[in-house]
Every structure is written in structure tokens, then in C-alpha cells.
Amino acid sequence: MADDDVATRAPESDAKEPSLMSSEDTPAQKGASMGEHCVTDRPSPLGDQQPSGEISKIADVEVYITKPSDYPHLPSKLLLFLSSGTGVRSKNNQLQADKYASEGFLVVMPDQFAGDHAPNSATDPNADEPNPSMIEKVKMGFATTAKSFMLDMWLARQTPEKVLPVLRKVVEGAKEEFADAVANGGGVYAVGYCFGGKYVCLLAAELPDSAAHGQAPPKDEEAGMAKVEPLIKAGALAHGTLITTEDFEAIKSPISMVCVENDQLFPDDVRTAGQTHLEENKVKHEVKVYSGVPHGFAVVGEYEDPKIQEAQKEAFEQMVEWLKSQ
């Protein structure tokens, strides 16, 4: 990746994720686990355009719902939209969800964090000064350390044990409320960005019964335990974070991945190992690696580089076409 491309990358924290469905503190993967994009919005390239959907509730969980303009007169498919740490109230996430609605999907974006969205990690104002003094540099250092600590603490709370039950509640509630869309699509579809990418993998997986419901399985539980079928018919994800090789091992539903070359938040070795597993187990999938783009590029956000702008459009087309073809 060229130097000028590196300059567009968002800074990462050193936060790491506990292993899947484990109460231990052992990191599941090495390296950074969340980036600045994952917890803050970029300026919107759409100017004053406002989201077209609305905030509502399904199964007592706050959700953003956006529908095709011709729904319910024309059939639609139910799409679960899993966001980055910026969450359900993010304007950019809502605008991104609206884009899928414009393609004929009835989109439900749940507050998968149950009100505990990522802490505000906006850059300290002093960072914008051209020549900050030594004291200001020290302040900036403390601010960065505090942000990293707060993000680490937040990530420690966002475990599958906490998130999966929320998602299951929303899916079951949405299947009742929008039964026509579920029937039309033959099931529920899902897209995920950054943090949400991991949960697309988990919802596309055949998991042990306890794990599927957000419970850590007993350590002495034998292999051959009851399994729960995938909750989604097909999924697509972009620049996932916190994904481990183990997450790929149980995937059964077709999945498409938008990846970033040399992405510290989704390391190449994790991606290639996962891709190999999917191929060996004949799980329908597609993987496209985009070069010269920053982590987080596929979400609505302003980029000056035409190459990134074009890649953003291409990534959206990749995900939409995959979902429509399943």
C-alpha cells in the first residue's frame, strides 16, 4: 500500500477481544481490534440529506427501520443491518441502511449494544492546532490514553454472551412483524460493518445450542452437543473486526466479504485461514480484497480520494448483488 494510502487509514487502539464464548481474558487474535472509524462517524458526503427511516422498537429493543418506497405493494426481503460501534443513532449508519432500502430490502438495524454504544472518541481539539506546545502535547497524550482505556472497557462488555441474545430477540420479533418480507426472501438476510461483521459470521453459523443463545458452554461439555441452525439465510460483511479463525469454522450460510488489504483489524492470516475453511467445507462464499483503501471505507462517509470513493460504490454493489442472488 502506498504511503499516501496509509495516511488515510484510521488510527487503531490496542483493544483485544476475549475468546469467543469464553469468560477468560486470553485475546482471541493478536493486533488492533477497533479503529477510529468504528467508533466515530466521518463527515457525510450527502450533505444535508436526512435518513428516511424511523426509530422504533422490536421486542423492547431500539431499532432503526427503513423500507422501500413501494413497500408493501411490492415484495421485499428482510435485512438485518449490524453496525459498527457508532450504533443505531449514527446518521451515517442510517443513511447506509437507507441505501439497502432503495434496493428493495426492508431493513432493521438493531441497537445491538443495548444502549451502551462506543464511547465518543472524537479527536482532542488541541490536535488540530498546527504547533501544539509541550503541555498541550502531554494533554493530547493523556486524552489518547483515556480514549483507548474507555474503548478497551467498552469492548470488554460487548461479548457474544451479551450481543447474541439481543440479536435473536430482534430477529424473532422482526419475523413476526414483517412475516411477508421473511416469506418473500425465504428467510432473514444480514449485513455487517466493522463490529457488526463478526456477528454476521455468528448468525450465519451452526453453533452449539448454549452458544447460539449467548451462553458460555460448560467446559466439560462433549463434542456432539445439540446444534442450532444459522439464524440467517445469507450474509455479507465489510471490513469486519474482532473476527477469529474459529468464527469461520461453524459458518453454514452463504457469505460475502469485503476486505481491506493489510488490514490490522482483520489480519490477512485470519482471512485466508477462514477462506480456506469455507472452501474445504464447500460453503458458498465470495471474498474481495480492496487495496489502497482504509478500514471502514465501505460505510457512508466523505473521502477526497476518487479511488476510495469508487471502491465504496463497488463494495456496496458487491454486497447488494450477493444478497439478491441468494
Side-chain angles (χ1 to χ4, degrees), residues 110-239:
D111 177 13
Q112 59 203 11
F113 311 113
D116 182 21
H117 56 78
N120 186 353
S121 59
T123 305
D124 186 275
N126 288 329
D128 295 329
E129 296 183 9
N131 295 297
S133 67
M134 182 59 68
I135 293 179
E136 288 164 345
K137 288 180 180 179
V138 171
K139 289 181 181 179
M140 289 163 58
F142 280 129
T144 299
T145 301
K147 285 193 302 181
S148 179
F149 175 76
M150 291 174 64
L151 183 56
D152 289 351
M153 295 298 291
W154 177 78
L155 279 173
R157 298 193 297 270
Q158 309 310 320
T159 62
E161 291 91 339
K162 175 184 174 183
V163 176
L164 281 176
V166 174
L167 298 183
R168 293 190 71 88
K169 282 174 58 178
V170 171
V171 169
E172 293 306 317
K175 286 167 70 174
E176 291 185 10
E177 186 169 344
F178 304 113
D180 58 331
V182 177
N184 179 62
V188 179
Y189 297 76
V191 292
Y193 292 84
C194 301
F195 183 98
K198 178 183 180 73
Y199 288 87
V200 169
C201 292
L202 295 183
L203 295 181
E206 183 182 73
L207 298 175
D209 181 72
S210 55
H213 290 86
Q215 301 168 5
K219 292 184 179 180
D220 59 351
E221 194 167 1
E222 299 178 358
M225 64 188 87
K227 297 289 185 71
V228 174
E229 293 183 352
L231 209 57
I232 60 174
K233 182 177 180 180
L237 64 91
H239 36 70

Side-chain angles (χ1 to χ4, degrees), residues 18-323:
S19 57
L20 175 60
M21 295 303 169
S22 170
S23 59
E24 299 176 2
D25 294 329
T26 304
Q29 69 183 52
K30 296 180 180 180
S33 58
M34 292 286 278
E36 192 76 8
H37 168 83
C38 301
V39 294
T40 56
D41 276 345
R42 295 184 64 85
S44 172
L46 303 178
D48 296 330
Q49 179 176 334
Q50 296 302 309
S52 59
E54 62 180 6
I55 295 291
S56 183
K57 280 194 174 183
I58 293 179
D60 292 325
V61 177
E62 186 174 67
V63 294
Y64 175 77
I65 299 175
T66 179
K67 306 172 184 178
S69 58
D70 50 12
Y71 177 84
H73 303 295
L74 290 180
S76 181
K77 291 182 177 181
L78 181 62
L79 180 66
L80 189 70
F81 186 107
L82 305 180
S83 73
S84 66
T86 50
V88 69
R89 294 276 178 172
S90 157
K91 179 181 177 181
N92 283 4
N93 288 340
Q94 293 177 359
L95 291 173
Q96 188 75 38
D98 289 348
K99 292 177 66 176
Y100 286 98
S102 71
E103 293 289 338
F105 293 93
L106 193 162
V107 186
V108 175
M109 175 168 58
D111 177 13
Q112 59 203 11
F113 311 113
D116 182 21
H117 56 78
N120 186 353
S121 59
T123 305
D124 186 275
N126 288 329
D128 295 329
E129 296 183 9
N131 295 297
S133 67
M134 182 59 68
I135 293 179
E136 288 164 345
K137 288 180 180 179
V138 171
K139 289 181 181 179
M140 289 163 58
F142 280 129
T144 299
T145 301
K147 285 193 302 181
S148 179
F149 175 76
M150 291 174 64
L151 183 56
D152 289 351
M153 295 298 291
W154 177 78
L155 279 173
R157 298 193 297 270
Q158 309 310 320
T159 62
E161 291 91 339
K162 175 184 174 183
V163 176
L164 281 176
V166 174
L167 298 183
R168 293 190 71 88
K169 282 174 58 178
V170 171
V171 169
E172 293 306 317
K175 286 167 70 174
E176 291 185 10
E177 186 169 344
F178 304 113
D180 58 331
V182 177
N184 179 62
V188 179
Y189 297 76
V191 292
Y193 292 84
C194 301
F195 183 98
K198 178 183 180 73
Y199 288 87
V200 169
C201 292
L202 295 183
L203 295 181
E206 183 182 73
L207 298 175
D209 181 72
S210 55
H213 290 86
Q215 301 168 5
K219 292 184 179 180
D220 59 351
E221 194 167 1
E222 299 178 358
M225 64 188 87
K227 297 289 185 71
V228 174
E229 293 183 352
L231 209 57
I232 60 174
K233 182 177 180 180
L237 64 91
H239 36 70
T241 63
L242 309 176
I243 295 175
T244 69
T245 53
E246 290 79 9
D247 292 337
F248 285 102
E249 294 177 0
I251 291 178
K252 300 297 182 183
S253 299
I255 193 165
S256 174
M257 292 186 285
V258 169
C259 304
V260 175
E261 185 181 40
N262 300 322
D263 189 351
Q264 295 183 44
L265 308 183
F266 190 4
D268 291 347
D269 59 340
V270 174
R271 171 175 51 77
T272 54
Q275 190 172 356
T276 297
H277 179 85
L278 295 175
E279 291 170 352
E280 292 176 346
N281 288 272
K282 297 180 172 55
V283 177
K284 189 176 181 181
H285 67 283
E286 69 172 2
V287 178
K288 182 167 184 180
V289 180
Y290 292 75
S291 63
V293 297
H295 179 91
F297 81 96
V299 180
V300 167
E302 184 176 0
Y303 291 97
E304 295 182 0
D305 188 339
K307 181 177 181 179
I308 300 177
Q309 295 173 11
E310 185 58 33
Q312 189 178 88
K313 294 177 182 178
E314 187 176 338
F316 178 69
E317 291 173 358
Q318 173 188 331
M319 297 170 78
V320 166
E321 291 307 313
W322 176 262
L323 295 170

